[in-house]
Amino acid sequence: IISYIFIFFYTVNIARFLGADGFGLISFAIAFSTIFSIFADLGLSTLTVREVSRNKLLTTKYLRNVLGIKILLTLFAFGLIVFFVNLFGYPKETILVVYLVSLSVMLTSLYGIFYSIFQAHEKMEYQSIGQILNAIIMFFGIIIAITLGFDVIGFSIIYLISSLIILIYNLIIYQWIFSQPKLEFDKKFWAVNLKESWPYGLSGFSVMLYTYIDSVILSLIQGNEVVGWYNAAYKLVLFLVFIPSTINLTIFPAMSKFYISSPNSLRFINEEYFKFMLIIGIPLGIGTTILADRIILIIFGSGYSSSIIALQILIWTIVFTFAGAAFVRLLEATNKQLLLSKITGISVVVNVFAK
């Protein structure tokens, strides 16, 4: 919650200072790189949480091998970003911003394996500290950038610096709690776990594509200013996802264990989670629809008046996202990740072709 408060305020400051055009460029770079970030993970982080939460003795084995895999995957994913951003013929400034933001996103994916280990051991305080530290660094970095009058490239560098600091933080914390983070290359382990994780990866790619493809398409056909208007509304909606995301981090290890040891407990958690999300989601949808004009104008200013109708429509994606959150985690915890991949895949196809 603390980290999302900081994220909210530094995002609003970026949007107000850079205007719709600059904010649109930053938003496009984040969307573009995040879509490809799934190739730097392929579901290995989620698989690590599931397996290590069931057997803590696998901690070192997973950390050392998955870290090695993710380093190679990160290089591959960044290569894809370089290829496609140049293929689409974007201006030099846009390409440079994408490079800088992409490096930040790739580092975030890389240190995600440490968060997976903390989560599997239910030591979420270390992940929370990392997220809060990242948000604080970004917040004060943005304030400094505004004070010094940085351009959009300067703002992009702040993203990269923040991710690098958090990577160092995770290396230090892991070594302090567990052991020195070394690399291990067990070919059999790699083959078995990549085979097991790819449905998670496919599901993750579908979610990323579903979430961020709008900004990429808008950048191609309408330009950065329209992307900025759209993302003013969309960022507000995405901020609300912290509610199920935070709960997911907490209950996923427990759900994974209960799948093996206590099906009744698993059923109880899922039912209560679903009810809780409906109680929160439906009032949010109704209230935001009614107050959308006031929300946009107060937070972003009159330059974003075109974002009002977008917010009134997009807020209802949150209602359905909240309602489905419990079942997404249930499928992941019960080894039905392939079914989840099919469901998210269908959603992506509908979303893309509807554009």
Side-chain angles (χ1 to χ4, degrees):
I1 294 173
I2 293 171
S3 65
Y4 270 87
I5 291 172
F6 278 102
I7 291 170
F8 172 80
F9 282 108
Y10 77 64
T11 300
V12 171
N13 275 284
I14 292 173
R16 282 181 168 271
F17 181 76
L18 293 178
D21 191 69
F23 181 56
L25 177 51
I26 287 281
S27 299
F28 161 71
I30 293 173
F32 191 84
S33 56
T34 303
I35 289 173
F36 287 97
S37 69
I38 195 61
F39 293 105
D41 184 78
L42 292 183
L44 287 165
S45 294
T46 304
L47 180 67
T48 299
V49 177
R50 193 189 77 185
E51 296 302 315
V52 175
S53 65
R54 294 173 180 175
N55 184 358
K56 304 297 191 299
L57 296 177
L58 294 173
T59 297
T60 301
K61 185 71 172 178
Y62 266 87
L63 186 282
R64 293 181 176 182
N65 278 277
V66 173
L67 184 58
I69 298 172
K70 285 175 70 71
I71 289 173
L72 296 177
L73 290 177
T74 298
L75 294 173
F76 172 71
F78 186 71
L80 288 177
I81 291 171
V82 171
F83 173 76
F84 280 103
V85 76
N86 284 278
L87 180 67
F88 292 149
Y90 283 105
K92 289 184 178 180
E93 182 186 42
T94 300
I95 291 174
L96 180 56
V97 171
V98 168
Y99 286 171
L100 292 169
V101 173
S102 295
L103 286 172
S104 169
V105 171
M106 293 300 107
L107 289 176
T108 301
S109 176
L110 190 61
Y111 66 66
I113 182 57
F114 297 103
Y115 282 168
S116 296
I117 297 296
F118 300 151
Q119 188 180 345
H121 283 264
E122 298 185 60
K123 295 181 180 295
M124 268 75 80
E125 62 269 28
Y126 299 109
Q127 181 172 349
S128 297
I129 292 171
Q131 291 173 330
I132 292 170
L133 181 61
N134 181 65
I136 290 175
I137 293 170
M138 282 295 304
F139 176 79
F140 285 104
I142 295 303
I143 296 301
I144 292 171
I146 292 173
T147 303
L148 298 178
F150 282 14
D151 59 10
V152 68
I153 294 173
F155 279 80
S156 304
I157 293 173
I158 295 172
Y159 280 89
L160 178 56
I161 293 173
S162 178
S163 295
L164 184 59
I165 293 173
I166 303 305
L167 173 60
I168 295 171
Y169 159 81
N170 278 281
L171 288 168
I172 294 171
I173 295 297
Y174 181 85
Q175 183 169 348
W176 176 50
I177 299 175
F178 299 105
S179 62
Q180 187 173 353
K182 299 178 181 178
L183 300 180
E184 187 175 317
F185 301 93
D186 185 333
K187 293 182 180 179
K188 184 178 180 181
F189 179 94
W190 286 32
V192 170
N193 283 275
L194 283 171
K195 182 179 180 180
E196 185 72 13
S197 71
W198 76 263
Y200 286 126
L202 182 60
S203 176
F205 179 70
S206 298
V207 170
M208 294 300 184
L209 200 61
Y210 179 87
T211 304
Y212 293 105
I213 193 63
D214 303 16
S215 295
V216 176
I217 293 175
L218 281 174
S219 75
L220 290 169
I221 63 177
Q222 294 289 341
N224 290 330
E225 187 175 34
V226 175
V227 176
W229 293 335
Y230 180 81
N231 272 275
Y234 201 34
K235 294 292 185 184
L236 292 178
V237 171
L238 289 179
F239 286 140
L240 296 174
V241 177
F242 87 87
I243 299 174
S245 295
T246 304
I247 298 174
N248 285 345
L249 289 173
T250 306
I251 68 172
F252 185 46
M255 293 179 77
S256 297
K257 288 188 293 185
F258 286 148
Y259 174 60
I260 303 296
S261 62
S262 180
N264 288 333
S265 297
L266 177 61
R267 187 180 303 111
F268 174 78
I269 288 178
N270 186 69
E271 290 174 355
E272 294 302 307
Y273 189 8
F274 174 66
K275 294 174 186 176
F276 183 63
M277 288 293 96
L278 284 182
I279 291 171
I280 296 175
I282 293 175
L284 269 176
I286 296 172
T288 304
T289 301
I290 296 172
L291 300 173
D293 55 343
R294 298 181 186 179
I295 293 171
I296 290 294
L297 295 178
I298 290 173
I299 294 175
F300 293 102
S302 58
Y304 288 88
S305 58
S306 299
S307 305
I308 295 171
I309 184 65
L311 179 59
Q312 290 173 322
I313 296 170
L314 289 170
I315 189 61
W316 289 97
T317 65
I318 280 295
V319 178
F320 295 110
T321 298
F322 277 28
F327 301 102
V328 170
R329 268 303 184 240
L330 180 65
L331 291 173
E332 290 180 339
T334 56
N335 297 2
K336 292 182 175 61
Q337 59 266 30
L338 185 57
L339 176 59
L340 180 61
S341 298
K342 293 177 181 178
I343 294 170
T344 54
I346 293 171
S347 299
V348 168
V349 170
V350 173
N351 187 23
V352 172
F353 279 95
K355 300 294 187 292

